[in-house]
């Protein structure tokens, strides 16, 4: 069977070149006589892979020297709890901006550890906008302010980094590596791997090293940034094969020309899709144009009774996983870095043809 264009929000499509390289090296990595899966994480060969991985991520994101780069487990969800446990230090408060379903989950978890101040919320307009940062309530005693630069379900993305007076923490799960970012504006960024960085199983955390020295006294060692940093993220056995696949993804990104180059492609892919939606009478996207996501494009059909047929016919055209999240309904096309421009064009053509025939 030939490959399909998979619009899943995650785990999502991987570049075919990456899959092919993994296939070529599956049994025998660079004449080692072993699969990467079989290597000891403390051995010389795997150390080469791990060092290259960190160097490539630092290079792509231009991570300054005074930031630690960690490769952890537990997904972004584990970070919802680890961030307060590691960053609160002497404070008992943290600020959170609520722009959708993922912010809400981070808030719910943080409430177990501290007083949460909701700095701003777009709940009143169903999470279709971003509250103006000039009006955010930022408590100077807060250990940090947490926000979600890209809301995967609602399709809302910050196109500027907000400037706040306390350390800034960002859940970049669904837009990391999709554009250049100035790491120095952040205290911490984190992201699960299953969207722009490979299969599920690795969580990247990039954190300013001076902020991690006072974790909660009861924190399990495995959740402690300072301990993980001191052990090169190998406090226990890491998911070695996933680290290797993440490394292949980073090399692929470098070959695309890095983040500035991939950003241009992401702008062009998403602009084409939004234009197709805006020009049609059948499809619509509710998000304010200034904060539409380049990664996750939700859209609804004005005739919801056509939803099922739309999905069935899309699948016949090799366009799969377009069903929207159950909480918002409709459709969602996730178009991360690995979605080729041809995939987006194929979707646009299908949507036009579907509208014409229904
Ligand atoms: N944050 C965001 C923005 C997400 O999109 C997701 C996953 N879709 C998560 C957090 C949770 O990630 P994980 O499943 O890796 O815990």
């Amino acid at each position: 069977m030939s490959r399909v264009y998979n619009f899943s929000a995650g785990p999502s499509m991987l570049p075919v070149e990456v899959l092919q390289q993994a296939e070529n090296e599956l049994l025998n990595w660079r004449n080692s006589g072993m699969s990467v899966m079989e290597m000891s994480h403390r051995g010389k060969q795997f150390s080469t892979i791990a060092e290259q991985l960190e160097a490539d991520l630092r290079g792509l994101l231009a991570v300054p020297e005074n930031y630690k780069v960690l490769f952890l487990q537990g997904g972004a969800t584990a970070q919802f709890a680890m961030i307060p446990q590691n960053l609160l230090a002497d404070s008992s408060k943290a600020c959170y901006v609520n722009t959708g379903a993922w912010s809400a989950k981070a808030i719910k978890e943080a409430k177990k550890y501290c007083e949460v101040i909701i700095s701003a919320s777009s709940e009143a307009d169903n999470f279709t906008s971003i509250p103006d940062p000039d009006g955010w309530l930022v408590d100077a005693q807060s250990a940090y302010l947490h926000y979600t630069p890209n809301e995967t379900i609602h399709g809302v993305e910050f196109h500027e980094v907000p400037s706040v007076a306390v350390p800034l923490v960002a859940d970049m799960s669904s837009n990391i590596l999709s554009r250049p970012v100035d790491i120095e504006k952040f205290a911490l960024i984190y992201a699960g791997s299953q969207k722009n960085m490979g299969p599920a199983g690795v969580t990247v955390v990039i954190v300013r090293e001076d902020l991690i020295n006072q974790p909660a006294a009861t924190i399990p060692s495995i959740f402690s940034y300072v301990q993980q940093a001191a052990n090169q993220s190998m406090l226990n056995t890491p998911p070695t094969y996933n680290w290797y696949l993440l490394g292949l993804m980073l090399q692929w990104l470098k070959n695309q020309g890095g983040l500035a180059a991939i950003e241009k492609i992401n702008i062009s892919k998403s602009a084409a899709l939004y234009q197709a939606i805006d020009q049609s009478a059948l499809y619509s996207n509710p998000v304010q144009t200034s904060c539409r996501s380049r990664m996750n494009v939700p859209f609804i059909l004005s005739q919801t009774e056509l939803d099922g047929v739309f999905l069935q016919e899309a699948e016949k055209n090799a366009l799969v996983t377009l069903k929207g999240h159950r909480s918002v309904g409709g459709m969602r096309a996730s178009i991360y870095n690995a979605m080729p421009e041809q995939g987006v064009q194929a979707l646009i053509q299908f949507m036009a043809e579907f509208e014409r025939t229904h």
Side-chain angles (χ1 to χ4, degrees):
M1 188 188 165
S2 58
R3 283 175 57 78
V4 296
Y5 292 119
N6 175 12
F7 293 88
S8 161
S12 43
M13 251 181 122
L14 300 180
V16 76
E17 298 91 330
V18 165
L19 294 171
Q20 274 164 348
Q21 189 176 345
E23 181 177 43
N24 291 340
E25 296 179 336
L26 184 68
L27 295 181
N28 186 0
W29 181 81
R30 298 197 199 164
N31 284 326
S32 64
M34 273 188 268
S35 172
V36 174
M37 283 182 233
E38 302 167 303
M39 290 173 185
S40 161
H41 61 296
R42 312 254 179 233
K44 224 178 89 193
Q45 287 141 335
F46 190 74
S47 298
T48 314
I49 292 173
E51 281 160 21
Q52 188 69 50
L53 170 64
E54 179 169 344
D56 284 344
L57 191 58
R58 282 185 177 276
L60 276 164
L61 280 166
V63 179
E65 280 290 311
N66 62 325
Y67 283 72
K68 299 290 187 192
V69 174
L70 307 175
F71 301 97
L72 305 175
Q73 296 187 62
T77 303
Q79 295 310 310
F80 294 163
M82 285 171 69
I83 287 162
Q85 290 184 84
N86 281 279
L87 298 190
L88 280 169
D90 297 327
S91 177
S92 58
K93 301 185 212 175
C95 290
Y96 279 73
V97 176
N98 184 13
T99 49
W102 290 108
S103 308
K105 290 206 178 178
I107 290 167
K108 188 165 174 225
E109 197 69 3
K111 282 184 176 165
K112 295 179 185 167
Y113 302 97
C114 62
E115 180 191 336
V116 168
I117 294 157
I118 304 297
S119 296
S121 170
S122 54
E123 193 169 4
D125 68 7
N126 272 326
F127 302 117
T128 55
S129 66
I130 285 175
D132 180 356
D134 286 345
W136 291 2
L137 170 68
V138 181
D139 182 310
Q141 307 303 314
S142 288
Y144 59 86
L145 180 141
H146 177 285
Y147 82 114
T148 310
N150 187 66
E151 286 282 358
T152 320
I153 293 175
H154 293 90
V156 171
E157 185 169 9
F158 284 74
H159 294 295
E160 306 282 337
V161 178
S163 154
V164 292
V166 296
L168 187 61
V169 172
D171 174 0
M172 289 197 187
S173 289
S174 48
N175 69 350
I176 194 168
L177 299 174
S178 67
R179 53 163 79 200
V181 285
D182 182 356
I183 297 291
E184 281 190 321
K185 292 186 173 163
F186 298 91
L188 183 152
I189 70 170
Y190 66 102
S193 54
Q194 66 271 25
K195 303 167 196 301
N196 267 336
M197 298 192 289
V202 188
T203 317
V204 165
V205 174
I206 301 175
V207 59
R208 225 175 68 205
E209 62 188 5
D210 58 294
L211 296 169
I212 61 176
N213 296 317
Q214 265 184 281
T218 54
I219 196 170
S221 306
I222 198 76
F223 298 150
S224 159
Y225 296 146
V226 70
Q227 288 194 51
Q228 286 287 10
N231 289 278
Q232 287 75 46
S233 309
M234 290 198 200
L235 205 59
N236 71 333
T237 317
T240 47
Y241 197 69
N242 299 55
W243 283 28
Y244 157 75
L245 291 171
L246 170 52
L248 295 189
M249 284 292 287
L250 299 184
Q251 278 157 35
W252 175 83
L253 255 181
K254 278 170 47 176
N255 293 338
Q256 305 303 300
L259 301 189
I262 205 82
E263 177 181 42
K264 281 202 186 119
I265 300 173
N266 287 329
I267 290 174
S268 129
K269 285 190 302 190
S270 55
L273 185 50
Y274 283 116
Q275 192 185 25
I277 291 169
D278 290 344
Q279 281 174 355
S280 98
L282 179 61
Y283 312 107
S284 65
N285 167 284
V287 178
Q288 268 184 20
T289 44
S290 60
C291 54
R292 283 174 161 180
S293 169
R294 295 177 188 163
M295 299 281 102
N296 309 97
V297 182
F299 59 94
I300 52 169
L301 274 59
S302 57
Q303 293 160 262
T304 47
E305 67 277 12
L306 288 176
D307 283 4
V309 199
F310 180 90
L311 289 166
Q312 269 172 14
E313 292 189 12
E315 201 161 323
K316 284 193 205 135
N317 285 274
L319 306 165
V320 306
T321 335
L322 281 161
K323 196 171 164 47
H325 191 268
R326 58 192 180 280
S327 62
V328 293
M331 309 296 152
R332 173 177 49 171
S334 294
I335 48 174
Y336 299 116
N337 289 347
M339 172 60 66
E341 292 189 272
Q342 301 91 295
V344 176
Q345 285 309 325
L347 174 61
I348 290 171
Q349 274 164 28
F350 166 76
M351 287 167 68
E353 183 60 14
F354 184 86
E355 183 170 2
R356 199 182 61 77
T357 52
H358 291 81

